[in-house]
Short mmCIF file of all heavy atoms in Angstrom, two decimals:
data_model
loop_
_atom_site.label_atom_id
_atom_site.label_comp_id
_atom_site.label_asym_id
_atom_site.label_seq_id
_atom_site.Cartn_x
_atom_site.Cartn_y
_atom_site.Cartn_z
N ALA J 1 -20.15 19.57 19.68
CA ALA J 1 -18.90 19.59 20.44
C ALA J 1 -17.93 18.53 19.92
O ALA J 1 -16.72 18.78 19.81
CB ALA J 1 -19.18 19.37 21.92
N PHE J 2 -18.44 17.35 19.59
CA PHE J 2 -17.58 16.30 19.03
C PHE J 2 -17.07 16.70 17.64
O PHE J 2 -15.92 16.39 17.27
CB PHE J 2 -18.32 14.96 18.95
CG PHE J 2 -18.35 14.20 20.25
CD1 PHE J 2 -19.56 13.86 20.84
CD2 PHE J 2 -17.17 13.82 20.88
CE1 PHE J 2 -19.59 13.16 22.04
CE2 PHE J 2 -17.19 13.11 22.08
CZ PHE J 2 -18.41 12.79 22.67
N GLU J 3 -17.90 17.38 16.86
CA GLU J 3 -17.47 17.87 15.54
C GLU J 3 -16.31 18.86 15.69
O GLU J 3 -15.34 18.81 14.94
CB GLU J 3 -18.64 18.53 14.81
CG GLU J 3 -19.67 17.55 14.28
CD GLU J 3 -20.86 18.25 13.63
OE1 GLU J 3 -21.04 19.47 13.89
OE2 GLU J 3 -21.60 17.59 12.89
N GLN J 4 -16.45 19.76 16.69
CA GLN J 4 -15.38 20.74 16.94
C GLN J 4 -14.10 20.04 17.39
O GLN J 4 -13.00 20.40 16.94
CB GLN J 4 -15.84 21.73 18.01
CG GLN J 4 -14.79 22.74 18.45
CD GLN J 4 -14.31 23.65 17.33
OE1 GLN J 4 -14.96 23.76 16.28
NE2 GLN J 4 -13.17 24.30 17.52
N ALA J 5 -14.23 19.03 18.25
CA ALA J 5 -13.06 18.28 18.72
C ALA J 5 -12.38 17.58 17.55
O ALA J 5 -11.14 17.57 17.44
CB ALA J 5 -13.47 17.27 19.77
N ALA J 6 -13.18 17.00 16.65
CA ALA J 6 -12.62 16.31 15.48
C ALA J 6 -11.84 17.28 14.60
O ALA J 6 -10.76 16.96 14.09
CB ALA J 6 -13.74 15.65 14.68
N ARG J 7 -12.38 18.51 14.43
CA ARG J 7 -11.68 19.52 13.63
C ARG J 7 -10.36 19.90 14.29
O ARG J 7 -9.34 20.08 13.60
CB ARG J 7 -12.56 20.76 13.46
CG ARG J 7 -13.67 20.61 12.44
CD ARG J 7 -14.26 21.96 12.04
NE ARG J 7 -14.98 22.56 13.15
CZ ARG J 7 -16.27 22.37 13.41
NH1 ARG J 7 -16.98 21.57 12.65
NH2 ARG J 7 -16.85 22.97 14.43
N LEU J 8 -10.36 20.02 15.61
CA LEU J 8 -9.12 20.37 16.33
C LEU J 8 -8.06 19.28 16.17
O LEU J 8 -6.87 19.58 16.01
CB LEU J 8 -9.43 20.59 17.81
CG LEU J 8 -10.20 21.88 18.15
CD1 LEU J 8 -10.67 21.84 19.59
CD2 LEU J 8 -9.33 23.10 17.90
N PHE J 9 -8.49 18.03 16.19
CA PHE J 9 -7.53 16.93 16.00
C PHE J 9 -6.99 16.90 14.56
O PHE J 9 -5.83 16.58 14.33
CB PHE J 9 -8.16 15.59 16.35
CG PHE J 9 -8.28 15.35 17.84
CD1 PHE J 9 -9.49 15.04 18.42
CD2 PHE J 9 -7.16 15.43 18.67
CE1 PHE J 9 -9.61 14.83 19.78
CE2 PHE J 9 -7.26 15.22 20.03
CZ PHE J 9 -8.49 14.92 20.59
N THR J 10 -7.84 17.29 13.61
CA THR J 10 -7.38 17.38 12.21
C THR J 10 -6.32 18.47 12.08
O THR J 10 -5.29 18.27 11.42
CB THR J 10 -8.56 17.68 11.28
OG1 THR J 10 -9.51 16.61 11.35
CG2 THR J 10 -8.09 17.83 9.83
N GLU J 11 -6.56 19.61 12.72
CA GLU J 11 -5.59 20.70 12.70
C GLU J 11 -4.28 20.29 13.40
O GLU J 11 -3.19 20.64 12.95
CB GLU J 11 -6.17 21.94 13.37
CG GLU J 11 -7.32 22.57 12.59
CD GLU J 11 -8.04 23.66 13.38
OE1 GLU J 11 -7.47 24.11 14.40
OE2 GLU J 11 -9.15 24.04 12.99
N THR J 12 -4.41 19.56 14.49
CA THR J 12 -3.25 19.07 15.23
C THR J 12 -2.40 18.17 14.34
O THR J 12 -1.17 18.27 14.32
CB THR J 12 -3.69 18.28 16.47
OG1 THR J 12 -4.47 19.13 17.30
CG2 THR J 12 -2.49 17.77 17.26
N LYS J 13 -3.06 17.27 13.61
CA LYS J 13 -2.34 16.34 12.74
C LYS J 13 -1.57 17.10 11.67
O LYS J 13 -0.39 16.80 11.40
CB LYS J 13 -3.32 15.36 12.10
CG LYS J 13 -2.64 14.34 11.19
CD LYS J 13 -3.64 13.35 10.61
CE LYS J 13 -2.93 12.35 9.71
NZ LYS J 13 -3.88 11.35 9.16
N LYS J 14 -2.22 18.09 11.06
CA LYS J 14 -1.54 18.87 10.01
C LYS J 14 -0.32 19.59 10.58
O LYS J 14 0.74 19.62 9.94
CB LYS J 14 -2.52 19.90 9.43
CG LYS J 14 -3.62 19.29 8.58
CD LYS J 14 -4.57 20.36 8.07
CE LYS J 14 -5.68 19.77 7.23
NZ LYS J 14 -6.66 20.82 6.78
N SER J 15 -0.47 20.14 11.77
CA SER J 15 0.64 20.84 12.42
C SER J 15 1.81 19.90 12.70
O SER J 15 2.96 20.23 12.45
CB SER J 15 0.14 21.49 13.71
OG SER J 15 1.21 22.14 14.37
N LEU J 16 1.49 18.72 13.23
CA LEU J 16 2.53 17.74 13.54
C LEU J 16 3.25 17.27 12.27
O LEU J 16 4.48 17.14 12.25
CB LEU J 16 1.92 16.53 14.25
CG LEU J 16 1.56 16.72 15.73
CD1 LEU J 16 0.66 15.58 16.21
CD2 LEU J 16 2.82 16.78 16.57
N GLN J 17 2.47 17.01 11.23
CA GLN J 17 3.06 16.56 9.96
C GLN J 17 3.98 17.62 9.36
O GLN J 17 5.03 17.31 8.80
CB GLN J 17 1.97 16.18 8.97
CG GLN J 17 1.26 14.89 9.30
CD GLN J 17 0.09 14.61 8.38
OE1 GLN J 17 -0.59 15.53 7.91
NE2 GLN J 17 -0.17 13.34 8.12
N THR J 18 3.58 18.90 9.51
CA THR J 18 4.39 20.00 8.99
C THR J 18 5.73 20.09 9.72
O THR J 18 6.78 20.32 9.09
CB THR J 18 3.64 21.33 9.14
OG1 THR J 18 2.41 21.26 8.41
CG2 THR J 18 4.47 22.48 8.62
N GLN J 19 5.70 19.88 11.02
CA GLN J 19 6.91 20.04 11.83
C GLN J 19 7.78 18.79 11.89
O GLN J 19 8.97 18.88 12.20
CB GLN J 19 6.51 20.44 13.27
CG GLN J 19 5.79 21.77 13.36
CD GLN J 19 6.65 22.92 12.84
OE1 GLN J 19 7.85 22.97 13.09
NE2 GLN J 19 6.02 23.84 12.11
N LEU J 20 7.19 17.63 11.60
CA LEU J 20 7.90 16.36 11.77
C LEU J 20 9.21 16.31 10.98
O LEU J 20 10.25 15.86 11.48
CB LEU J 20 6.99 15.20 11.35
CG LEU J 20 7.48 13.79 11.74
CD1 LEU J 20 7.61 13.66 13.26
CD2 LEU J 20 6.50 12.73 11.21
N GLY J 21 9.16 16.79 9.75
CA GLY J 21 10.36 16.76 8.92
C GLY J 21 11.47 17.69 9.39
O GLY J 21 12.64 17.53 9.00
N LYS J 22 11.12 18.66 10.24
CA LYS J 22 12.11 19.62 10.72
C LYS J 22 12.78 19.19 12.03
O LYS J 22 13.75 19.80 12.46
CB LYS J 22 11.43 20.98 10.94
CG LYS J 22 10.74 21.54 9.70
CD LYS J 22 9.98 22.81 10.03
CE LYS J 22 9.20 23.33 8.82
NZ LYS J 22 8.42 24.55 9.17
N ILE J 23 12.24 18.13 12.65
CA ILE J 23 12.78 17.68 13.94
C ILE J 23 14.01 16.80 13.72
O ILE J 23 13.95 15.81 12.98
CB ILE J 23 11.70 16.91 14.74
CG1 ILE J 23 10.49 17.81 15.01
CG2 ILE J 23 12.27 16.38 16.05
CD1 ILE J 23 9.31 17.08 15.64
N GLU J 24 15.08 17.15 14.37
CA GLU J 24 16.32 16.39 14.22
C GLU J 24 16.57 15.44 15.39
O GLU J 24 17.15 14.37 15.20
CB GLU J 24 17.51 17.35 14.07
CG GLU J 24 17.43 18.21 12.80
CD GLU J 24 18.61 19.15 12.67
OE1 GLU J 24 19.47 19.15 13.57
OE2 GLU J 24 18.66 19.88 11.66
N ASP J 25 16.17 15.83 16.59
CA ASP J 25 16.37 14.98 17.76
C ASP J 25 15.53 13.70 17.64
O ASP J 25 14.32 13.77 17.41
CB ASP J 25 15.98 15.74 19.03
CG ASP J 25 16.21 14.91 20.28
OD1 ASP J 25 17.36 14.85 20.75
OD2 ASP J 25 15.23 14.30 20.77
N LEU J 26 16.16 12.53 17.79
CA LEU J 26 15.50 11.25 17.57
C LEU J 26 14.35 11.03 18.56
O LEU J 26 13.25 10.61 18.16
CB LEU J 26 16.50 10.10 17.69
CG LEU J 26 15.94 8.69 17.42
CD1 LEU J 26 15.35 8.59 16.02
CD2 LEU J 26 17.04 7.64 17.60
N ASP J 27 14.59 11.31 19.86
CA ASP J 27 13.55 11.11 20.87
C ASP J 27 12.35 12.02 20.61
O ASP J 27 11.19 11.60 20.74
CB ASP J 27 14.11 11.40 22.27
CG ASP J 27 15.07 10.33 22.73
OD1 ASP J 27 15.03 9.21 22.16
OD2 ASP J 27 15.88 10.60 23.64
N GLU J 28 12.64 13.25 20.22
CA GLU J 28 11.57 14.19 19.95
C GLU J 28 10.77 13.75 18.72
O GLU J 28 9.55 13.88 18.67
CB GLU J 28 12.15 15.59 19.72
CG GLU J 28 11.10 16.69 19.73
CD GLU J 28 11.72 18.08 19.63
OE1 GLU J 28 12.92 18.21 19.93
OE2 GLU J 28 10.99 19.00 19.24
N LYS J 29 11.48 13.21 17.74
CA LYS J 29 10.83 12.74 16.51
C LYS J 29 9.91 11.56 16.81
O LYS J 29 8.79 11.47 16.29
CB LYS J 29 11.89 12.33 15.49
CG LYS J 29 11.39 12.29 14.05
CD LYS J 29 12.54 11.96 13.12
CE LYS J 29 12.15 12.18 11.66
NZ LYS J 29 12.05 13.60 11.30
N GLN J 30 10.38 10.64 17.68
CA GLN J 30 9.57 9.49 18.06
C GLN J 30 8.32 9.93 18.83
O GLN J 30 7.23 9.38 18.63
CB GLN J 30 10.39 8.52 18.92
CG GLN J 30 11.44 7.74 18.12
CD GLN J 30 12.29 6.84 19.00
OE1 GLN J 30 12.40 7.05 20.21
NE2 GLN J 30 12.89 5.82 18.40
N MET J 31 8.49 10.94 19.69
CA MET J 31 7.35 11.45 20.45
C MET J 31 6.32 12.08 19.51
O MET J 31 5.11 11.86 19.66
CB MET J 31 7.81 12.49 21.47
CG MET J 31 6.68 13.00 22.37
SD MET J 31 7.24 14.18 23.60
CE MET J 31 7.56 15.61 22.57
N ALA J 32 6.79 12.83 18.53
CA ALA J 32 5.88 13.46 17.57
C ALA J 32 5.14 12.41 16.73
O ALA J 32 3.95 12.55 16.44
CB ALA J 32 6.65 14.41 16.67
N THR J 33 5.86 11.34 16.36
CA THR J 33 5.26 10.25 15.60
C THR J 33 4.17 9.55 16.42
O THR J 33 3.10 9.21 15.91
CB THR J 33 6.32 9.23 15.17
OG1 THR J 33 7.33 9.89 14.39
CG2 THR J 33 5.71 8.11 14.33
N SER J 34 4.48 9.34 17.70
CA SER J 34 3.51 8.72 18.61
C SER J 34 2.28 9.62 18.76
O SER J 34 1.14 9.13 18.78
CB SER J 34 4.15 8.49 19.97
OG SER J 34 3.21 7.98 20.89
N MET J 35 2.51 10.93 18.84
CA MET J 35 1.40 11.87 18.95
C MET J 35 0.52 11.85 17.70
O MET J 35 -0.71 12.02 17.78
CB MET J 35 1.92 13.29 19.20
CG MET J 35 2.47 13.49 20.61
SD MET J 35 3.23 15.13 20.80
CE MET J 35 1.79 16.18 20.66
N LEU J 36 1.14 11.64 16.54
CA LEU J 36 0.38 11.55 15.29
C LEU J 36 -0.59 10.37 15.35
O LEU J 36 -1.76 10.50 14.97
CB LEU J 36 1.34 11.37 14.10
CG LEU J 36 1.74 12.63 13.34
CD1 LEU J 36 2.79 12.30 12.29
CD2 LEU J 36 0.52 13.29 12.70
N LYS J 37 -0.09 9.22 15.83
CA LYS J 37 -0.94 8.03 15.93
C LYS J 37 -2.09 8.29 16.90
O LYS J 37 -3.25 7.97 16.62
CB LYS J 37 -0.12 6.83 16.41
CG LYS J 37 -0.94 5.56 16.60
CD LYS J 37 -0.11 4.43 17.20
CE LYS J 37 -1.00 3.21 17.48
NZ LYS J 37 -0.24 2.11 18.13
N THR J 38 -1.76 8.89 18.04
CA THR J 38 -2.78 9.19 19.05
C THR J 38 -3.83 10.16 18.51
O THR J 38 -5.03 10.00 18.75
CB THR J 38 -2.13 9.79 20.31
OG1 THR J 38 -1.16 8.88 20.82
CG2 THR J 38 -3.17 10.06 21.38
N THR J 39 -3.37 11.15 17.76
CA THR J 39 -4.29 12.13 17.18
C THR J 39 -5.26 11.47 16.21
O THR J 39 -6.46 11.77 16.21
CB THR J 39 -3.49 13.23 16.45
OG1 THR J 39 -2.66 13.90 17.40
CG2 THR J 39 -4.42 14.25 15.80
N ASP J 40 -4.75 10.53 15.40
CA ASP J 40 -5.62 9.79 14.47
C ASP J 40 -6.69 9.01 15.23
O ASP J 40 -7.86 9.02 14.84
CB ASP J 40 -4.78 8.83 13.62
CG ASP J 40 -4.14 9.51 12.43
OD1 ASP J 40 -4.65 10.56 12.00
OD2 ASP J 40 -3.13 9.01 11.93
N LEU J 41 -6.27 8.33 16.30
CA LEU J 41 -7.22 7.53 17.08
C LEU J 41 -8.27 8.41 17.74
O LEU J 41 -9.46 8.05 17.78
CB LEU J 41 -6.47 6.71 18.13
CG LEU J 41 -5.61 5.55 17.61
CD1 LEU J 41 -4.84 4.89 18.75
CD2 LEU J 41 -6.50 4.50 16.91
N ARG J 42 -7.84 9.55 18.27
CA ARG J 42 -8.79 10.45 18.93
C ARG J 42 -9.76 11.06 17.92
O ARG J 42 -10.93 11.29 18.23
CB ARG J 42 -8.04 11.53 19.70
CG ARG J 42 -7.33 10.99 20.94
CD ARG J 42 -6.69 12.10 21.75
NE ARG J 42 -6.03 11.58 22.93
CZ ARG J 42 -6.62 11.31 24.09
NH1 ARG J 42 -7.92 11.51 24.21
NH2 ARG J 42 -5.94 10.85 25.12
N HIS J 43 -9.27 11.32 16.72
CA HIS J 43 -10.16 11.82 15.66
C HIS J 43 -11.20 10.76 15.32
O HIS J 43 -12.40 11.07 15.19
CB HIS J 43 -9.34 12.18 14.42
CG HIS J 43 -10.19 12.70 13.30
ND1 HIS J 43 -10.76 11.87 12.35
CD2 HIS J 43 -10.59 13.96 12.98
CE1 HIS J 43 -11.46 12.59 11.50
NE2 HIS J 43 -11.38 13.86 11.85
N GLU J 44 -10.74 9.50 15.18
CA GLU J 44 -11.67 8.40 14.90
C GLU J 44 -12.70 8.25 16.01
O GLU J 44 -13.88 8.00 15.77
CB GLU J 44 -10.88 7.09 14.74
CG GLU J 44 -10.18 6.93 13.41
CD GLU J 44 -11.17 6.61 12.31
OE1 GLU J 44 -11.64 5.47 12.22
OE2 GLU J 44 -11.49 7.53 11.53
N TYR J 45 -12.24 8.42 17.25
CA TYR J 45 -13.14 8.33 18.40
C TYR J 45 -14.22 9.40 18.31
O TYR J 45 -15.40 9.12 18.54
CB TYR J 45 -12.34 8.49 19.70
CG TYR J 45 -13.19 8.54 20.95
CD1 TYR J 45 -13.71 7.37 21.50
CD2 TYR J 45 -13.48 9.76 21.57
CE1 TYR J 45 -14.50 7.41 22.65
CE2 TYR J 45 -14.27 9.81 22.72
CZ TYR J 45 -14.77 8.63 23.25
OH TYR J 45 -15.55 8.68 24.38
#
């Protein structure tokens, strides 16, 4: 189950990174950047 969760967080990170460059709104961009950091930490967990 933890392996599956780790894979989901890896997929989440790829998705966020793909979309990050397309976001123009500053607040939305900051939120996506924060989510990237959180995703990395949860993957490490």
Side-chain angles (χ1 to χ4, degrees):
F2 279 121
E3 286 177 343
Q4 175 62 17
R7 283 195 292 270
L8 288 169
F9 284 125
T10 298
E11 292 171 15
T12 301
K13 181 178 180 179
K14 289 178 181 177
S15 178
L16 284 166
Q17 287 174 328
T18 300
Q19 297 300 320
L20 192 61
K22 303 174 184 178
I23 300 173
E24 296 180 358
D25 182 81
L26 183 59
D27 289 341
E28 193 175 340
K29 200 176 191 73
Q30 287 177 338
M31 184 178 72
T33 302
S34 176
M35 287 174 67
L36 265 174
K37 178 185 175 183
T38 302
T39 299
D40 277 337
L41 289 176
R42 289 185 180 276
H43 180 271
E44 283 286 284
Y45 175 79

